Amino acid sequence: MAGTSAHRLSRRSLLKWTALGAFAAATGCNVIPAFGAKTKLNIWTDATFAPASDDYQTQQIEEWAKGKGHEVEVTREGGGNIQTKLQAALESKQLPDISQVDSGRYALFQGTGSLLNVSDLYGDISKQWGGFYKIAEQIATKEGKQFVLPYSIDSSLLMYWNDILLEGGVKEFPTGSWREMIETMKKLQKPPDLYGVGFQFGKAGTDSENTFAVWALAHGASLQKADGRSPNVKTPEMRSFLEELKWAWDQGVFAPGVTGWDNSSNNTALQDKKAIVIHNPASPLVWFRSNKPDQLKNIGIAASPKGKDGKSYNIAYLRDGFAVMATGDQKRIDISKDLMKHLYSKDVYRKWIEIAFPAPAVNGMEDMEIWKNPQRKGFLDAAKGGVLSGHPGPDTTTYAELGTRTPWITMAARLVVDKWTVDQAIDEMDKIAQDVFSKQK
């Protein structure tokens, strides 16, 4: 042993300590009951683009734990890191007590048995708030049961510099069609300092997966059929969408470098007034609120342009959801459920929504003053009327797996970077989709 010890341990004492330590490790328990230590919960959650809401939530968790006599460790990392940690934890059977899951993580992990059935708690919270929004219920419910508690619903909406539109004589953002929007942005742009559109065309910029998905829906195109059992890539509707996408690229409205942009680049393009419009979740608005509050009033919000069927499609998804993990430790599971009740309490939940920017997953908050702001109300409307990412089919493990291949961006990049024909891009994606769907159970 390094150093000196005031008391020599007997062999019997040493064996006792070793046995207790082994017991704690084997059971996954963070306490040694005989010594009266506090129960410790491990919570893994996302570091979002709204640090103030993250800090508030962590504070609420820690204060609740202190008041209840528990210990808690909150780990905040980027969503991709949390997904990697969950996969490793599942393989090593060392699950946290609670994990934040978004739509993609929920689809990937729900069938593994690592997420606890929380239908009873879901029902109690639903009654408390007067029901979950339809999109939240659709996402959470698997074969009549819920394995996640939806907390916030987010959507990508069009964000644009309204003052530039007004200076150019455009009184309202053009949402009659995607073609109309592109043509208007071309008239308003002033290259090389200002370009019309800031959509990414590279796989590092996964925000554009939603952008191209809703653009495709405007043409009636989708990656899967309504039953969610087979792909739907080789269609006239897909050809129509990709032809228009290539046409839009040829108009010269996209900012330079978009083929190498990541998910912060489009935010920066809007913030620095290098692009008139981007398609993004609420994070840029949070940035303006904190960094350029005097310019926030000039940022407009619009739903996606209408499709050939006259509808505007917006993909709504679970940004924040909490999964109580199936650790097998009933005491810690019960404590985790109590913590969830606290986070859904009226004062805590409403305050978090006020500073977080996405929409809630439940009814009962429409009276809040924040919805009088058109920017905030746009996200509430999307949460109440949006479609699933797999539309017209369901969000399944298979569709989530296809999503990891960034199918929409892949086809877009093939057209504009690799100079493939529309047929070549469709054929490649059809092969990928056929392979993914052939492996579903």
Side-chain angles (χ1 to χ4, degrees):
M1 295 176 64
T4 60
S5 174
H7 301 283
R8 186 177 298 276
L9 288 175
S10 69
R11 176 176 172 80
R12 179 176 295 177
S13 298
L14 181 61
L15 289 172
K16 183 184 292 183
W17 276 97
T18 304
L20 284 170
F23 170 78
T27 60
C29 186
N30 294 303
V31 298
I32 300 176
F35 294 89
K38 297 178 181 178
T39 300
K40 182 178 180 179
L41 295 185
N42 285 305
I43 301 172
W44 294 354
T45 186
D46 290 3
T48 72
F49 284 100
S53 66
D54 294 349
D55 294 342
Y56 171 75
Q57 188 178 84
T58 298
Q59 177 188 5
Q60 286 296 318
I61 292 172
E62 291 176 343
E63 289 181 355
W64 172 88
K66 183 178 180 181
K68 294 287 187 177
H70 308 310
E71 290 185 354
V72 62
E73 181 176 341
V74 179
T75 300
R76 282 196 183 273
E77 297 185 27
N81 291 343
I82 295 296
Q83 181 165 313
T84 301
K85 285 170 66 73
L86 278 177
Q87 185 62 52
L90 181 62
E91 293 173 356
S92 65
K93 300 182 180 179
Q94 295 291 325
L95 296 170
D97 296 288
I98 297 170
S99 179
Q100 186 170 338
V101 293
D102 56 14
S103 288
R105 266 171 273 161
Y106 185 49
L108 288 171
F109 289 100
Q110 186 273 321
T112 65
S114 60
L115 278 56
L116 192 74
N117 182 346
V118 290
S119 299
D120 54 344
L121 186 55
Y122 177 95
D124 291 342
I125 293 170
S126 181
K127 292 178 182 178
Q128 171 189 342
W129 284 99
F132 283 88
Y133 285 142
K134 181 181 178 181
I135 195 76
E137 185 171 351
Q138 288 177 325
I139 293 170
T141 304
K142 305 294 183 183
E143 297 181 351
K145 301 176 182 178
Q146 292 82 32
F147 299 84
V148 67
L149 300 170
Y151 205 67
S152 75
I153 300 296
D154 209 350
S155 183
S156 290
L157 297 176
L158 293 169
M159 302 179 188
Y160 59 92
W161 283 99
N162 193 46
D163 56 340
I164 292 177
L165 267 67
L166 294 177
E167 290 171 4
V170 180
K171 295 182 179 180
E172 294 184 1
F173 190 84
T175 57
S177 69
W178 285 86
R179 183 174 288 264
E180 177 192 11
M181 185 196 77
I182 295 297
E183 290 173 341
T184 303
M185 294 305 107
K186 184 176 182 178
K187 294 177 182 178
L188 295 173
Q189 69 177 5
K190 298 176 181 179
D193 299 319
L194 176 67
Y195 282 82
V197 184
F199 302 161
Q200 307 102 315
F201 275 74
K203 291 185 178 181
T206 53
D207 282 343
S208 283
E209 275 295 291
N210 277 345
T211 308
F212 298 142
V214 294
W215 195 340
L217 287 173
H219 287 259
S222 61
L223 293 171
Q224 66 174 351
K225 294 182 179 179
D227 61 4
R229 302 295 300 174
S230 56
N232 194 44
V233 178
K234 298 189 76 169
T235 65
E237 291 80 9
M238 185 68 75
R239 168 179 285 279
S240 174
F241 157 63
L242 291 177
E243 287 175 345
E244 184 170 89
L245 183 63
K246 181 59 168 62
W247 165 85
W249 177 265
D250 291 340
Q251 301 308 301
V253 297
F254 291 96
V258 293
T259 56
W261 280 10
D262 60 17
N263 282 340
S264 64
S265 301
N266 56 344
N267 294 28
T268 302
L270 185 75
Q271 293 159 10
D272 295 342
K273 224 166 188 176
K274 298 295 185 181
I276 300 173
V277 62
I278 66 172
H279 188 247
N280 214 78
S283 54
L285 301 180
V286 177
W287 185 91
F288 274 102
R289 184 174 61 185
S290 301
N291 297 279
K292 292 184 178 180
D294 58 318
Q295 292 295 318
L296 184 58
K297 65 179 182 298
N298 292 321
I299 304 300
I301 297 292
S304 66
K306 295 178 181 178
K308 294 184 176 181
D309 59 1
K311 296 181 181 179
S312 173
Y313 290 93
N314 296 289
I315 293 174
Y317 55 89
L318 187 65
R319 195 197 84 165
D320 302 281
F322 290 105
V324 178
M325 308 304 288
T327 61
D329 187 315
Q330 192 58 49
K331 180 179 180 181
R332 280 164 42 215
I333 287 173
D334 290 341
I335 294 172
S336 297
K337 288 183 176 182
D338 285 341
L339 173 56
M340 290 296 97
K341 293 176 182 178
H342 175 68
L343 293 181
Y344 278 93
S345 61
K346 181 178 179 180
D347 293 340
V348 174
Y349 199 1
R350 287 168 70 94
K351 178 63 176 178
W352 184 84
I353 283 294
E354 182 178 330
I355 59 180
F357 237 104
V362 297
N363 290 297
M365 295 195 197
E366 288 83 357
D367 64 315
M368 295 176 67
E369 288 291 316
I370 57 174
W371 309 126
K372 293 181 180 180
N373 179 345
Q375 294 171 336
R376 297 298 304 268
K377 188 175 183 297
F379 289 93
L380 179 66
D381 292 342
K384 297 171 72 174
V387 300
L388 295 172
S389 62
H391 186 83
D395 281 338
T396 61
T397 303
T398 301
Y399 193 82
E401 170 61 28
L402 180 58
T404 65
R405 314 290 183 93
T406 57
W408 295 111
I409 291 176
T410 296
M411 287 189 287
R414 287 302 194 191
L415 294 178
V416 306
V417 178
D418 300 322
K419 308 301 182 182
W420 282 20
T421 66
V422 168
D423 284 336
Q424 287 175 313
I426 288 177
D427 287 345
E428 179 189 50
M429 189 48 56
D430 182 61
K431 290 179 181 178
I432 293 173
Q434 293 286 355
D435 178 63
V436 172
F437 276 86
S438 69
K439 297 175 182 177
Q440 68 181 333
K441 297 179 180 179

